[in-house]
């Protein structure tokens, strides 16, 4: 019989640390890595171009940036939930975005996904912390979800066949949408079923994004029912290329044939069954299939170049095997967003399981024969009609079923939105009991019309930015805290001039000015006033220091201020501010990099080079970042050492 039970998974893990205490007013740093240049955009199909241009994120608001982690790993007990029948065992991490850490096939003893032996956060999620491996659920906007390292609500529910089912659910805050992921194993099934539903409870339409992302060993062949793919690298182009052999004569369905990191979004013909498989030299491996609503399929590879290899090492431990990613999404590419009408929902069913194909056919040079054989094997293992029937049974009898036994708790933000909006969301309750300290000031605003100020010495609290909350802030009594939050909500909507006015009004009576000064500094930088921005960043740092502040705020403000001062040529002030940081902060990799930049600006390239020679690691180095290589090139003509090589595109 199928069982769902709690468990504990122990892994070497780097602690997540505190969230960045500064409001995330700017667009995700990784947005540039997924951009498309204007010339390429003009040549794309019109519906694809519309999807790429739909509702880009102006900022990360209201979610915080997660950059408090390091790279020192210690054995850590992680809460897990195990779903198991006599054929499969899936291990899920509800506290880390509901990630499937492992999918083990019992009859063959095979691990069907890439199971990372460590938990190492890295700056790949929209809001920072993310980790590699398993199967993840990406909702929100182009990139890894802001919930990558966040807890989800979890509970058991009755599956369509009457057995136990695991439900994961949360309120995705970037797009203000609740969603659920239901996982179950029919008795005797070799396939894990996953039902997904995204709801839009608002009257207005909302941009929607979903990609299920599965890490698989990279020594596989990746097959999908397509003769062409949209290729996207890190050079802002999107080109339609043939599959499997591209214009260079290289078979790109083998991840190890690619030299650099890249995406291939397979162009699946309408009417064809949706699937993607990763098979080894014996013709065996993992297959993912779905109902037709989940249209897209993708292969991501790190490549065999120095940068790709370094990233692979960065995300796991030395000697661990490399991986690629096979993905499935709502649109043809991850650069697009669809539109979900108001008071509507989108749902589909996915299935994950083992596949055994004829290796001579599946790995042969005849692409048509290879696809045909894999699809034949899939039809024998799990017919398309069975997937459609399972979806219908789930939607009719299980998707709205009330949770039975609660296994884990997510955030209180969904409960706050339900309290405000009075939404009815069968199957995904957000009870008031989940409200916590972060939500309490906002519940008070909702109840009384007054936003209570933070306690003396405390930070300004988490922001909310949607239109209903902004309306309440506009009618609340004006005080520095309310003006701060109102300005953030106005900034989120694109009303930057009004946001600046709100922050300037708040400054007049503020006991602690640094939150407002920081916001004004960001506004200055975004509006093309870098000198004034640098002054305000430095002023914010000084104000926080006077108030006796330390810790995460001092580090975050110091990093912003030193960077801004260096960018405007104020090297002496950058040095002075850097020396005022706590010694522990100055020893972190990001601040060692700042030190090298200061030394170079002071005309001391040998000392800056010595920082590199001593060695440092910038834990939150971002996707596509070339900062280390650019600074190294200013210091020497020598090749960039492997330890600092993170470039994801072709280069010298």
């Amino acid at each position: 019989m199928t069982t769902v039970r709690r468990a504990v998974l122990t892994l070497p893990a780097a602690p997540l640390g505190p969230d960045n205490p500064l409001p995330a007013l700017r667009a995700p740093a990784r947005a540039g890595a997924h951009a498309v240049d204007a010339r390429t955009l003009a040549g794309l199909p019109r519906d694809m171009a519309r999807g790429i241009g739909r509702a880009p994120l102006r900022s990360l608001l209201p979610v915080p940036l997660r950059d408090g982690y390091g790279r020192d790993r210690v054995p850590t007990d992680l809460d897990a939930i195990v779903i198991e029948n006599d054929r499969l065992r899936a291990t899920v991490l509800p506290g880390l975005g509901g990630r499937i850490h492992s999918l083990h096939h019992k009859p063959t003893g095979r691990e069907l996904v890439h199971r990372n032996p460590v938990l190492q956060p890295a700056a790949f999620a929209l809001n920072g912390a993310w980790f590699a491996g398993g199967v993840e659920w990406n909702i929100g906007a182009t990139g890894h979800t802001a919930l990558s390292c966040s807890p989800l609500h979890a509970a058991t529910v009755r599956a369509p066949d009457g057995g136990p089912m695991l439900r994961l659910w949360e309120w995705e805050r970037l797009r203000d949408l609740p969603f659920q992921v239901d996982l179950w194993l029919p008795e005797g099934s070799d396939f894990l079923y996953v039902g997904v539903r995204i709801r839009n409870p608002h009257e207005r339409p909302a941009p929607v994004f979903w990609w299920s992302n599965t890490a698989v060993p990279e020594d596989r062949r990746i097959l999908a029912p397509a003769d062409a793919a949209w290729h996207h690298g890190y050079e802002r182009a999107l080109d339609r290329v043939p599959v499997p052999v591209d214009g260079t004569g290289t078979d790109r369905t083998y991840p190890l044939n690619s030299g650099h990191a890249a995406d291939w979004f397979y162009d699946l013909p309408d009417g064809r069954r949706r699937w993607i498989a990763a098979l080894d030299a014996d013709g065996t491996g993992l297959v993912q299939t779905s109902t037709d609503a989940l249209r897209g399929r993708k292969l991501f590879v790190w490549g065999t170049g120095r940068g790709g290899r370094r990233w692979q090492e960065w995300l796991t431990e030395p000697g661990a095997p490399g991986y690629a990613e096979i993905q499935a999404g709502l649109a043809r590419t991850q650069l697009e967003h669809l539109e979900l009408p108001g008071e509507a929902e989108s749902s589909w069913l996915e299935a994950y399981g083992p596949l055994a194909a004829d290796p001579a056919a599946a790995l042969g040079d005849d692409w048509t024969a290879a696809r045909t054989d894999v699809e034949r094997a899939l039809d024998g293992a799990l017919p398309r009609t069975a997937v459609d029937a399972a979806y219908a049974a789930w939607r009719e009898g299980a998707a709205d079923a009330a949770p039975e036994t609660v296994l884990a708790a997510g955030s209180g933000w969904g409960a706050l939105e339900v309290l405000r909006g009075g939404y009815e969301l069968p199957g995904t309750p957000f009870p008031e009991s989940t409200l916590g300290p972060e939500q309490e000031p906002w519940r008070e605003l909702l109840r009384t019309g007054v936003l209570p100020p933070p306690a003396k010495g405390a930070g300004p609290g988490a922001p909310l930015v949607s239109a209903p909350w902004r309306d309440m802030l506009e009618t609340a009594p004006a005080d520095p805290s309310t003006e701060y939050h109102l300005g953030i909500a106005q900034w989120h909507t694109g009303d930057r001039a009004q946001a600046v006015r709100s922050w300037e009004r708040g400054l007049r009576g503020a006991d602690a000015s640094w939150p407002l000064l920081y916001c004004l500094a960001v506004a200055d930088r975004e509006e093309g006033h870098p000198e004034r921005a640098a002054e305000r960043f430095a002023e914010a740092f000084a104000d926080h220091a006077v108030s006796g502040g330390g810790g995460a705020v001092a580090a975050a403000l110091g990093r912003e201020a030193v960077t801004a001062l260096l960018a405007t040529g104020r090297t002496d002030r950058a040095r002075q501010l850097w020396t005022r940081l706590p010694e522990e902060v100055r020893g972190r990799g990001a601040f060692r990099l700042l030190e090298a930049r200061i030394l170079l600006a002071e005309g001391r390239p040998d000392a800056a080079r010595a920082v590199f020679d001593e060695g440092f690691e910038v834990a939150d180095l971002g996707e596509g970042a070339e900062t280390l290589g650019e600074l190294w090139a200013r210091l020497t003509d020598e090749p960039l050492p492997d330890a600092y090589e993170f470039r994801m595109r072709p280069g010298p």
Side-chain angles (χ1 to χ4, degrees):
M1 294 180 62
T2 299
T3 60
V4 176
R5 58 182 171 84
R6 288 189 179 95
V8 174
L9 177 68
T10 302
L11 289 177
L16 285 171
D19 289 343
N20 191 305
L22 307 177
L25 300 175
R26 285 164 286 187
R30 283 147 294 285
H34 302 290
V36 176
D37 63 65
R39 182 176 180 180
T40 298
L41 196 64
L44 297 176
R46 291 183 64 184
D47 61 332
M48 183 182 288
R50 281 196 302 271
I52 292 173
R54 179 175 286 121
L57 292 178
R58 296 191 186 100
S59 72
L60 283 171
L61 295 168
V63 304
L65 184 66
R66 311 201 74 173
D67 61 357
Y69 53 87
R71 292 192 54 79
D72 294 328
R73 297 189 287 264
V74 296
T76 304
D77 290 340
L78 304 172
D79 290 333
I81 300 172
V82 175
I83 314 166
E84 188 168 17
N85 66 4
D86 61 338
R87 311 287 295 176
L88 276 179
R89 181 172 61 247
T91 303
V92 179
L93 303 177
L96 294 164
R99 182 79 59 98
I100 297 177
H101 173 73
S102 168
L103 188 60
H104 178 78
H105 187 233
K106 295 181 179 181
T108 61
R110 287 178 175 267
E111 177 60 52
L112 299 181
V113 301
H114 170 72
R115 184 175 58 193
N116 197 335
V118 305
L119 175 59
Q120 176 57 62
F124 276 75
L126 286 164
N127 63 334
W130 170 87
F131 63 103
V135 185
E136 60 180 296
W137 320 112
N138 290 303
I139 181 173
T142 300
H144 297 281
T145 178
L147 293 165
S148 291
C149 291
S150 296
L152 304 188
H153 299 282
T156 57
V157 187
R158 289 296 100 189
D161 62 358
M165 178 168 72
L166 172 62
R167 174 161 299 157
L168 305 166
W169 73 99
E170 243 307 351
W171 198 284
E172 201 286 314
R173 301 179 66 210
L174 288 177
R175 300 303 194 184
D176 206 17
L177 302 175
F179 71 99
Q180 73 189 76
V181 180
D182 288 355
L183 304 97
W184 75 100
L185 279 168
E187 187 173 349
S189 174
D190 278 315
F191 283 82
L192 175 70
Y193 289 167
V194 182
V196 182
R197 174 166 60 175
I198 304 172
R199 287 167 158 146
N200 180 5
H202 314 294
E203 294 181 355
R204 55 173 171 76
V208 67
F209 173 96
W210 183 279
W211 281 79
S212 303
N213 180 359
T214 304
V216 295
E218 64 183 354
D219 59 344
R220 300 290 189 266
R221 189 182 204 189
I222 310 303
L223 299 101
D227 291 313
W230 294 93
H231 170 255
H232 182 259
Y234 286 79
E235 297 172 294
R236 303 172 70 89
L238 186 64
D239 303 307
R240 196 170 187 269
V241 298
V243 173
V245 178
D246 67 8
T248 69
T250 304
D251 188 338
R252 299 296 183 182
T253 62
Y254 291 91
L256 291 173
N257 282 352
S258 294
H260 300 280
D263 304 320
W264 280 271
F265 299 102
Y266 294 111
D267 197 358
L268 276 61
D270 292 339
R272 292 294 300 270
R273 185 176 185 181
R274 310 308 194 193
W275 60 266
I276 189 167
L279 305 182
D280 63 16
D282 296 327
T284 60
L286 172 76
V287 66
Q288 187 272 2
T289 188
S290 71
T291 48
D292 290 350
L294 203 64
R295 177 182 184 180
R297 293 299 186 273
K298 169 193 166 182
L299 164 65
F300 166 77
V301 301
W302 285 106
T304 57
R306 288 204 307 154
R309 294 300 94 189
R310 182 67 178 117
W311 275 118
Q312 295 257 29
E313 295 171 358
W314 189 254
L315 296 169
T316 184
E317 62 182 2
Y323 74 95
E325 294 171 357
I326 58 172
Q327 306 186 24
L330 286 174
R332 277 174 294 185
T333 74
Q334 278 179 339
L335 311 181
E336 302 165 74
H337 296 76
L338 304 183
E339 184 173 273
L340 185 59
E343 300 178 341
E345 61 183 50
S346 179
S347 63
W348 60 91
L349 184 90
E350 306 180 42
Y352 296 78
L355 192 73
D358 176 5
L363 278 65
D365 293 335
D366 187 332
W367 179 242
T368 300
R371 290 182 334 195
T372 300
D373 187 75
V374 171
E375 193 152 298
R376 174 199 57 76
L378 174 58
D379 288 341
L382 185 66
R384 186 176 187 176
T385 54
V387 174
D388 292 339
Y391 170 70
W394 171 69
R395 285 296 284 118
E396 292 168 8
D400 287 345
E404 297 176 354
T405 302
V406 174
L407 300 175
S411 77
W413 295 113
L416 185 67
E417 293 301 330
V418 169
L419 188 64
R420 182 200 58 75
Y423 303 120
E424 296 291 335
L425 300 168
T428 54
F430 293 94
E432 285 191 54
S433 60
T434 60
L435 292 169
E438 283 191 307
Q439 293 84 40
E440 190 55 40
W442 297 99
R443 179 161 67 167
E444 188 70 9
L445 174 64
L446 184 62
R447 188 178 67 85
T448 67
V450 178
L451 183 70
K456 188 173 180 61
L464 284 175
V465 296
S466 66
W469 294 107
R470 185 179 70 250
D471 292 343
M472 281 184 268
L473 289 167
E474 287 175 344
T475 57
D479 62 21
S481 176
T482 302
E483 296 285 12
Y484 165 82
H485 284 287
L486 176 58
I488 290 176
Q490 291 163 335
W491 180 270
H492 174 71
T493 66
D495 192 351
R496 294 186 169 187
Q498 190 58 55
V500 168
R501 285 192 285 271
S502 295
W503 292 328
E504 288 176 340
R505 284 195 304 268
L507 271 179
R508 290 196 283 268
D511 292 330
S513 299
W514 66 263
L516 294 149
L517 288 167
Y518 167 77
C519 293
L520 288 167
V522 173
D524 283 334
R525 183 158 60 191
E526 294 293 300
E527 296 301 319
H529 304 292
E531 292 83 6
R532 193 166 66 200
E535 287 296 327
R536 278 182 160 154
F537 280 128
E539 192 178 349
F541 178 83
D543 179 77
H544 182 261
V546 167
S547 65
V553 176
L557 286 174
R559 190 173 181 182
E560 292 276 9
V562 171
T563 301
L565 290 166
L566 284 173
T568 55
R570 304 178 191 191
T571 306
D572 290 345
R573 292 195 62 191
R575 164 65 70 183
Q576 292 167 8
L577 196 149
W578 187 82
T579 59
R580 293 173 61 191
L581 289 165
E583 183 177 355
E584 180 275 328
V585 172
R586 295 200 306 269
R588 298 176 193 171
F591 291 87
R592 293 284 285 157
L593 176 60
L594 277 179
E595 181 185 17
R597 292 182 58 194
I598 293 170
L599 289 165
L600 181 60
E602 291 172 335
R604 302 165 62 191
D606 291 344
R609 167 65 186 267
V611 174
F612 277 85
D613 292 342
E614 291 169 14
F616 62 90
E617 293 183 326
V618 182
D620 63 339
L621 196 67
E623 176 183 1
E626 300 182 359
T627 307
L628 297 176
E630 291 169 354
L631 183 57
W632 176 266
R634 296 175 63 191
L635 300 175
T636 178
D637 293 331
E638 297 176 23
L640 182 66
D642 288 344
Y644 303 116
E645 176 60 275
F646 291 93
R647 287 173 292 192
M648 298 177 70
R649 60 177 178 171

